[in-house]
Amino acid sequence: MADAILLYVTSPDHETGAALAEKLISDRMAACVNLLPGMTSVYDWQGKVEQATEVVMIVKTTTEKAAPARDMILTEHPYECPCIVALPISGAHSHQPFLDWIGQNTS
């Protein structure tokens, strides 16, 4: 069974996040994507402090599918430098049937 992993991704709006999520699911690169609207990001971009409303995407996938998912997001994402961060999942304190479901839905 492949190890489960989360990808934390930000998107400029719900439509972009939903389109990325649908592609990830239909191509079996993710078992589930949560879209969390209404996040405010404050960041430095090219020497200027910026502020933007974004949507957080939590992509539930496997270590095997994380790189293809990342590559697709990089290709389709409108940002010049999108936030894509991989977060490992500890199986010790996780619900194993859920982790198994992630593996089943990405194979």
Side-chain angles (χ1 to χ4, degrees):
M1 176 77 45
D3 291 330
I5 192 167
L6 299 177
L7 298 179
Y8 173 91
V9 180
T10 58
S11 173
D13 52 49
H14 181 82
E15 292 76 22
T16 302
L20 291 169
E22 287 185 27
K23 184 155 180 57
L24 288 165
I25 299 300
S26 65
D27 291 350
R28 298 187 69 80
M29 289 185 273
C32 176
V33 179
N34 300 122
L35 299 174
L36 308 172
M39 179 189 68
T40 300
S41 292
V42 180
Y43 54 95
D44 182 292
W45 183 248
Q46 300 178 342
K48 182 179 174 192
V49 176
E50 301 281 348
Q51 187 168 325
T53 300
E54 295 183 298
V55 172
V56 173
M57 300 172 59
I58 301 173
V59 180
K60 298 165 190 160
T61 188
T62 61
T63 54
E64 178 183 316
K65 298 291 180 130
R70 178 205 58 217
D71 293 346
M72 185 282 291
I73 293 167
L74 285 170
T75 299
E76 303 289 328
H77 204 289
Y79 287 171
E80 182 179 334
C81 184
C83 170
I84 306 170
V85 180
L87 305 168
I89 296 173
S90 168
H93 303 291
S94 299
H95 182 57
Q96 190 60 49
F98 182 75
L99 300 180
D100 294 342
W101 176 82
I102 292 173
Q104 292 163 1
N105 283 279
T106 55
S107 60

